[in-house]
Amino acid sequence: MTAIAATGLRKSYGDKVVLDGIDLDVTEGTTFSLLGPNGAGKTTVVQILSTLIGADAGEMRVAGHDVTRDPDAVRAAIGVTGQYSAVDKFLTGEENLIMMADLHHLGRKEGRRRAAELLDRFDLTEAAGKTTATYSGGMRRRLDLAMTLIGDPRVIFLDEPTTGLDPRSRRDMWQIIRDLVARGVTIFLTTQYLDEADQLADRIAVLDHGVLIAEGTPEELKRLIPGGHVRLRFAEASGLESARRALGDSSPGDELTLHVPSDGSVKSLRALLARLDDQAIEVEELSVHTPDLDDVFLTLTGKERVR
């Protein structure tokens, strides 16, 4: 089922077009990542879909509800974690969660139960009674996401959730996101880290100057970019020379290896192996090398990697 759908999404500020006809279709229970250079319109998409601002044109549905006609139903079904932590530093971790429970009208008993459950789930129980001003960046981010989950949302918008975190805290957050998706939650992720999208996203869309210029799985996007190859390693120099003559469109690698241009698809690999088999050429080792998302981003947007 579709968790987020948008058709012809448009937004302008005066003469500046921020979004120019965006179409999105995000499957329920998956992680969808929106990439793009600074100023591409990523945060604007999140703000529109989460009902924070209105669109100039387009049809949008989130969690089965029309964003324009039924924004209250959308808000009841979603959670939003922005670029900066929204925790109150003068309250304890537990008090922050109970405050959110009150805002969701959960009731005193249910609110405390839900807060205790989330503190345990996010490994914050020992720090529950401490003011969040004493928390590390990773702890504040975990609490921020826990506050988002108080209302048990079906769709969560994460706008650069790991900005400024150390590597260990980033990986902790990644695991939390994976666990949420495993429970059936849909994650809409914008990120400044291309490896984060590669690790987490089921599908990725690249936004540039308000237009979606590419969309697919991480592997599909990597295959769009030239430079992929298959690395063949041979036990003997004679095998290497035979393969070089048979394949033609190849280049030498390091000792006893050959690089053959390939998009890494199953079809191209089968064709390559069939050519080698026809010549009875034995390969000791085979590995596929494709461009990474840095290469994809640079080629598609013409800009250096995001970070």
Side-chain angles (χ1 to χ4, degrees):
M1 296 181 63
T2 297
I4 301 171
T7 305
L9 180 56
R10 296 180 182 276
K11 181 68 177 179
S12 298
Y13 292 102
D15 294 333
K16 180 176 176 57
V17 177
V18 180
L19 300 175
D20 191 10
I22 301 299
D23 296 336
L24 295 171
D25 190 340
V26 180
T27 303
E28 195 174 64
T30 64
T31 297
F32 180 91
S33 183
L34 189 61
L35 297 180
N38 291 329
K42 303 186 298 297
T43 296
T44 302
V45 171
V46 171
Q47 290 175 332
I48 290 173
L49 293 177
S50 60
T51 76
L52 293 175
I53 62 174
D56 295 334
E59 297 182 2
M60 298 146 284
R61 297 186 71 84
V62 175
H65 306 289
D66 189 288
V67 173
T68 303
R69 297 185 179 89
D70 200 358
D72 288 342
V74 172
R75 294 179 194 125
I78 68 172
V80 182
T81 298
Q83 296 181 26
Y84 306 102
S85 176
V87 303
D88 188 323
K89 67 179 181 180
F90 297 109
L91 299 179
T92 67
E94 182 180 34
E95 288 168 343
N96 269 281
L97 287 168
I98 290 174
M99 177 182 67
M100 290 302 298
D102 290 343
L103 291 173
H104 281 276
H105 307 291
L106 293 186
R108 180 179 175 84
K109 183 177 180 180
E110 175 61 17
R112 289 183 177 278
R113 184 200 67 79
R114 185 78 173 133
E117 174 190 310
L118 288 167
L119 287 167
D120 178 64
R121 183 169 161 190
F122 285 83
D123 195 25
L124 293 168
T125 301
E126 290 186 8
K130 299 177 181 178
T131 59
T132 58
T134 66
Y135 285 18
S136 67
M139 292 170 68
R140 282 194 295 271
R141 256 319 188 188
R142 296 204 306 274
L143 178 61
D144 200 23
L145 186 50
M147 291 166 64
T148 299
L149 294 178
I150 277 284
D152 200 21
R154 294 159 53 193
V155 177
I156 298 178
F157 293 93
L158 298 179
D159 193 8
E160 301 183 20
T162 64
T163 297
L165 296 187
D166 61 74
R168 181 185 294 277
S169 296
R170 285 182 69 212
R171 291 187 179 275
D172 288 345
M173 185 62 71
W174 290 358
Q175 189 55 53
I176 289 169
I177 293 170
R178 292 187 183 105
D179 291 344
L180 287 170
V181 173
R183 292 169 179 249
V185 175
T186 303
I187 301 292
F188 189 103
L189 170 72
T190 73
T191 179
Q192 292 278 355
Y193 300 104
L194 303 183
D195 61 327
E196 185 162 270
D198 205 357
Q199 286 283 334
L200 297 175
D202 297 290
R203 292 187 68 80
I204 294 172
V206 182
L207 184 66
D208 192 29
H209 293 97
V211 178
L212 286 181
I213 56 176
E215 183 178 347
T217 67
E219 294 308 314
E220 287 171 344
L221 292 181
K222 292 171 189 176
R223 287 200 292 267
L224 293 175
I225 308 304
H229 65 273
V230 175
R231 179 178 180 272
L232 303 174
R233 183 175 182 82
F234 301 89
E236 299 176 353
S238 58
L240 173 65
E241 290 303 319
S242 297
R244 182 180 294 171
R245 289 193 298 270
L247 298 175
D249 53 344
S250 61
S251 59
D254 52 15
E255 187 177 1
L256 295 178
T257 64
L258 201 62
H259 293 174
V260 183
S262 172
D263 63 5
S265 66
V266 172
K267 181 179 179 180
S268 66
L269 286 175
R270 284 176 176 165
L272 172 61
L273 293 174
R275 291 166 68 187
L276 293 170
D277 190 54
D278 287 344
Q279 300 294 322
I281 299 171
E282 293 290 334
V283 178
E284 186 176 61
E285 182 183 307
L286 178 150
S287 57
V288 179
H289 298 261
T290 57
D292 60 20
L293 284 182
D294 279 15
D295 301 316
V296 173
F297 186 90
L298 177 59
T299 302
L300 293 180
T301 67
K303 298 176 176 64
E304 293 296 333
R305 61 170 294 179
V306 184
R307 181 166 299 175

